[in-house]
Amino acid sequence: MFDTVLVANRGEIAVRVIRTLRALGVRSVAVFSDADADARHVREADTAVRIGPPPAAESYLSVERLLEAAARTGAQAVHPGYGFLAENAAFARACAEAGLVFIGPPAEAISLMGDKIRAKETVKAAGVPVVPGAADPELEAAARELGAPVLLKPSAGGGGKGMRLVRDLSVLEDEIAAARREARASFGDDTLLVERWIDRPRHIEIQVLADGHGNVIHLGERECSLQRRHQKVIEEAPSVLLDEETRAAMGEAAVQAARSCGYRGAGTVEFIVPGTDPSSYYFMEMNTRLQVEHPVTELVTGLDLVEWQLRIAAGEPLPYEQKDITLTGHSIEARICAETVSVKEGSRGFLPSGGTVLALREPQGDGIRTDSGLSEGTEVSSLYDPMLSKVIVHGPDRATALRKLRAALADTVTLGVPTNAGFLRRLLAHPQVVSGDMDTGLVEREVDGLVPDGVPPEVYEAAAAVREEALRPGRDAGGWTDPFSVPSGWRLGGERLPVAHPLRVTGLEPVTHVLQGTGHRVTADTVTVTLDGVTHTFRRAGTWLGRDGDAWNVQDHDPVEASLTRSAYSGADSLTAPMPGTVTVVKVAVGDEVTAGQGLVVVEAMKMEHVISAPHDGTVVELDVTPGTTVAMDQVLAVVEPHSSAEEAEK
């Protein structure tokens, strides 16, 4: 076993790898950018090395700086985690050339399976079924021949980045261009392939382990069908879809795929499976690294996959045969991401968020595990991936695991940074999820029923109670409070006037709220209100309130100040940034005539592109950004004056 291992990553995966290194008595070396100088993975490692400024290209993606950090600390091996350089063949080769062991597969296997085109050809030759499709340079012609719907995918990467489902071939060219931009930004390679889209598919993957002595086994499957924007949000093991015969057949196909590329270490073979015919499965890709969802496999098999990555990299043979692997109970994982869940009518969805973690409570306990890179004070920016942590549970059966995970998510508090925890809790209670009748499109179809319909009235009640408490003066030295200084609405010789509290939840229109309940209690970190006979308790931190995984930033609203700073154009005319990020494309200029729904500006945040479209037909009268501009949430990007306004002005 190694004495010292450098972890070439950040966040929750770095913390998780460090945990196993500590258990094995191996010294851990963390690396960090200036943005992560006080991060949790830095504090938990045995030593840490600064590798550059915040941009990933100048720090976490710098092979030279990572190798220098390894040399300075005496590391013998490098664990890449996932993301960044985990599936970078050049990095694996550079480690070997520097005399370091890369804790992962051989560079040749990474290169082969990282190219989805070559990967499909290789596993097909090994007898593994693949999805019909084609690649550059015949991409567009092949897409039209396959017929809609088709799926565009980057050849060089995964994780849903750059993937585009095209149901209307009239927009094929625009979708290809957008997919290329995302692929280039995420993987440095804009080569694409196109595949036939299988309606209502299920995403099932097989975990494999392969040593350097010719032994390859699989550890069963994970169901990853609950996704949005082609990115997984909930994963579980085992899948309710597979019987023992299908599980064995898919497992053997995964083993053959691993053998076909000379694999070594922990890897995952991903399949797309028609929900109506599980026996008809198709190879999608092989992830040549540890997966985000590896904990569910660990909990049902009892194996520490990071430990076996280390042991295999150190040259140890696997002591297991396939017959030794058994799956016990059921495990489910929920990915907690920095996301704003929109509650606006007609625009419900998810956007990357950021902020400072003001209050944090992460669930633990019997059968509950939280893998996290968070601590109070953590700054979450748009520079890196939006996933913050994972809550994983294990139970004797699926129904128990579902209940346990819903309770754990309700107990999760991350105030200061909007997250998807409350949404995931509601998703896990959806009848189709409970029954196991899922597919990769379920979240998109059901999102309206899973996103709150506005802000619950008790949230405004709690915010108003906090506001009144803050305005209340303290007693003087004699223990007396001047009644005229208390914001109670009290008047001498008259009836009590209700106190109106102007409040605004970020992203929504302001409201004026008058306290309606009684017996409210406000403390330093909680607020309890009773409204219509029901008592509600919230965690609080600053202007943030949290309950059952949901959180709201409820601030005071000054209508006078707002009117003074309001643009000459109405809010409906202004296009604002839906999240902090960077402008990558500007498609119009001032004076251009545009139509409703036309894409005008593209903003990238946390490796995802978001197209900002014209709200109505009109003329671009303001344009405040150029490609490369860094923007804040709600910053005005452009203003489109409607044609009707321009015509009236001429009259």
Side-chain angles (χ1 to χ4, degrees):
M1 183 51 66
F2 312 105
D3 294 324
T4 303
V5 172
L6 181 139
V7 183
N9 219 295
R10 65 179 297 280
E12 63 87 17
I13 183 55
V15 174
R16 187 264 171 273
V17 172
I18 290 167
R19 183 172 67 235
T20 289
L21 292 174
R22 185 181 301 114
L24 294 174
V26 178
R27 179 169 169 261
S28 60
V29 178
V31 294
F32 63 92
S33 72
D34 291 338
D36 285 336
D38 193 38
R40 179 173 168 182
H41 76 279
V42 174
R43 296 197 304 271
E44 295 199 7
D46 294 306
T47 190
V49 179
R50 176 191 178 274
I51 54 171
E58 301 174 49
S59 51
Y60 296 106
L61 291 173
S62 173
V63 173
E64 180 182 355
R65 293 180 181 181
L66 290 168
L67 296 182
E68 181 186 356
R72 288 169 57 191
T73 55
Q76 301 154 304
V78 174
H79 194 300
Y82 37 68
F84 291 133
L85 297 172
E87 294 180 283
N88 187 297
F91 181 50
R93 292 191 185 95
C95 287
E97 292 169 0
L100 296 164
V101 175
F102 180 79
I103 300 175
E108 294 74 19
I110 296 174
S111 180
L112 175 58
M113 287 296 163
D115 183 334
K116 291 184 173 58
I117 299 167
R118 292 176 58 209
K120 287 181 67 175
E121 294 171 349
T122 300
V123 301
K124 185 177 181 180
V128 180
V130 300
V131 182
D136 283 329
E138 295 85 15
L139 186 77
E140 187 171 344
R144 297 190 185 282
E145 183 177 343
L146 286 169
V150 294
L151 185 66
L152 301 173
K153 300 169 63 175
S155 176
K161 297 176 179 65
M163 289 177 63
R164 297 272 171 159
L165 174 59
V166 184
R167 294 189 178 275
D168 181 0
L169 295 183
S170 68
V171 297
L172 180 62
E173 291 184 13
D174 287 344
E175 293 294 314
I176 289 175
R180 289 199 195 282
R181 285 195 302 270
E182 288 189 27
R184 191 183 308 115
S186 298
F187 313 113
D189 184 345
D190 64 2
T191 305
L192 302 178
L193 68 155
V194 63
E195 293 178 343
R196 175 183 296 158
W197 174 254
I198 298 174
D199 269 321
R200 303 183 77 91
R202 296 181 73 140
H203 184 142
I204 294 178
E205 59 191 29
I206 306 291
Q207 176 72 57
V208 296
L209 280 179
D211 62 22
H213 304 271
N215 303 306
V216 186
I217 60 172
H218 71 84
L219 306 182
E221 82 281 1
R222 296 185 288 257
E223 170 98 39
C224 307
S225 296
L226 293 176
Q227 307 177 6
R228 48 136 190 81
R229 293 197 299 264
H230 306 294
Q231 293 186 311
K232 307 163 190 172
V233 293
I234 300 287
E235 301 99 347
E236 59 183 298
S239 168
V240 297
L241 183 67
L242 305 189
D243 56 25
E244 287 299 328
E245 182 179 354
T246 307
R247 177 174 294 115
M250 290 183 68
E252 179 57 28
V255 167
Q256 293 306 316
R259 290 189 186 280
S260 72
C261 66
Y263 202 79
R264 184 179 69 243
T268 298
V269 181
E270 300 196 348
F271 295 92
I272 190 166
V273 183
T276 56
D277 183 12
S279 63
S280 298
Y281 50 86
Y282 302 98
F283 171 88
M284 285 198 300
E285 62 184 359
M286 184 173 188
N287 293 122
T288 54
R289 55 170 168 79
L290 195 67
Q291 289 281 88
V292 172
E293 57 271 23
H294 74 275
V296 296
T297 295
E298 293 183 324
L299 292 180
V300 297
T301 62
L303 299 177
D304 183 328
L305 293 185
V306 173
E307 176 182 348
W308 278 105
Q309 282 187 297
L310 291 161
R311 292 190 181 281
I312 290 170
E316 293 186 25
L318 285 169
Y320 309 108
E321 297 180 8
Q322 193 60 57
K323 62 181 177 63
D324 299 321
I325 303 302
T326 57
L327 309 182
T328 303
H330 202 94
S331 180
I332 313 177
E333 171 184 291
R335 301 188 186 193
I336 308 299
C337 296
E339 289 184 327
T340 297
V341 182
S342 172
V343 298
K344 291 183 179 179
E345 193 65 39
S347 63
R348 303 198 176 178
F350 309 86
L351 294 170
S353 67
T356 302
V357 179
L358 304 175
L360 180 68
R361 184 172 67 196
E362 297 179 317
Q364 301 289 345
D366 182 34
I368 302 173
R369 163 179 163 181
T370 299
D371 285 7
S372 171
L374 294 178
S375 55
E376 289 190 1
T378 295
E379 294 280 347
V380 178
S381 75
S382 61
L383 291 167
Y384 309 120
D385 192 271
M387 193 179 73
L388 306 176
S389 63
K390 304 175 305 195
V391 180
I392 315 104
V393 302
H394 181 261
D397 51 54
R398 187 171 185 267
T400 302
L402 281 170
R403 286 196 303 272
K404 189 175 290 189
L405 184 51
R406 288 195 295 266
L409 290 171
D411 198 39
T412 299
V413 176
T414 313
L415 299 185
V417 179
T419 75
N420 62 341
F423 166 79
L424 295 176
R425 183 178 62 83
R426 289 184 289 275
L427 175 60
L428 289 166
H430 189 281
Q432 285 184 256
V433 176
V434 173
S435 69
D437 181 21
M438 304 172 293
D439 63 80
T440 58
L442 187 149
V443 173
E444 303 295 341
R445 291 194 307 271
E446 302 295 325
V447 65
D448 282 354
L450 298 169
V451 173
D453 185 15
V455 178
E458 60 267 22
V459 174
Y460 289 119
E461 184 80 2
V466 171
R467 191 172 188 269
E468 283 208 3
E469 185 69 21
L471 294 173
R472 191 181 305 278
R475 296 177 180 271
D476 65 13
W480 182 80
T481 300
D482 179 1
F484 290 97
S485 66
V486 178
S488 63
W490 177 85
R491 294 189 303 164
L492 180 64
E495 295 183 3
R496 179 184 183 274
L497 293 177
V499 178
H501 297 278
L503 302 168
R504 183 175 185 265
V505 171
T506 302
L508 299 178
E509 293 299 314
V511 302
T512 299
H513 186 84
V514 176
L515 282 177
Q516 301 169 23
T518 57
H520 300 341
R521 182 170 181 268
V522 177
T523 70
D525 56 6
T526 64
V527 54
T528 300
V529 298
T530 301
L531 194 62
D532 297 329
V534 179
T535 299
H536 308 269
T537 299
F538 297 85
R539 287 291 299 270
R540 62 174 290 236
T543 58
W544 285 81
L545 297 168
R547 177 190 64 183
D548 292 340
D550 289 312
W552 301 266
N553 185 11
V554 193
Q555 298 178 318
D556 290 352
H557 174 70
D558 186 337
V560 175
E561 180 183 356
S563 66
L564 292 174
T565 59
R566 187 176 297 131
S567 168
Y569 295 94
S570 71
D573 301 340
S574 299
L575 281 70
T576 59
M579 71 281 172
T582 302
V583 174
T584 57
V585 178
V586 176
K587 300 183 176 183
V588 293
V590 172
D592 284 358
E593 300 288 320
V594 297
T595 57
Q598 179 180 336
L600 309 184
V601 178
V602 177
V603 178
E604 181 185 279
M606 295 179 173
K607 304 178 184 178
M608 291 178 281
E609 279 195 345
H610 301 269
V611 179
I612 312 302
S613 302
H616 41 238
D617 294 353
T619 304
V620 178
V621 294
E622 286 185 22
L623 186 63
D624 301 327
V625 294
T626 59
T629 301
T630 300
V631 296
M633 182 180 292
D634 293 331
Q635 179 176 330
V636 175
L637 309 178
V639 174
V640 177
E641 184 181 39
H643 283 156
S644 57
S645 297
E647 291 167 0
E648 289 172 6
E650 290 177 3
K651 293 178 182 178

